[in-house]
Amino acid sequence: MQVFPCPYCGPRNETEFRYIAAAGKTRPDTTQPVQDQDWARYLYRQRNEKGAVREVWMHLTCGELFVMERDSVTMEVLGSTALRDGVE
Ligand SMILES: [Zn+2]
């Protein structure tokens, strides 16, 4: 078991969280026509980086989204930041 830090609730069991997406990934602008390859790139291409990564997670208990930074090799959590405070 791993403990993840929710910025609103504090440390909690990893089973209370759901991965949402890589932080900073920009959704295509749907106010203009979007090419299929742009949707495919957004939906399916992952960078899969080694080392420190920033990801958007949801704490299912409180329903809040936040950015968690963790090491993708060691799985060590390096920090978490509330999203609704305008971080992303
Ligand atoms: Zn929470």
Side-chain angles (χ1 to χ4, degrees), residues 10-59:
R12 295 288 196 269
N13 187 313
E14 66 180 304
T15 59
E16 295 183 19
F17 296 84
R18 175 178 293 159
Y19 173 83
I20 301 297
K25 196 171 183 178
T26 304
R27 189 174 195 264
D29 178 7
T30 56
T31 61
Q32 305 292 323
V34 179
Q35 300 294 318
D36 289 346
Q37 65 265 24
D38 293 332
W39 274 121
R41 184 178 307 115
Y42 173 74
L43 293 171
Y44 302 114
R45 288 199 183 162
Q46 307 294 328
R47 296 185 63 142
N48 200 21
E49 297 177 39
K50 279 187 168 182
V53 294
R54 298 181 71 232
E55 302 166 326
V56 178
W57 285 76
M58 174 183 274
H59 184 205

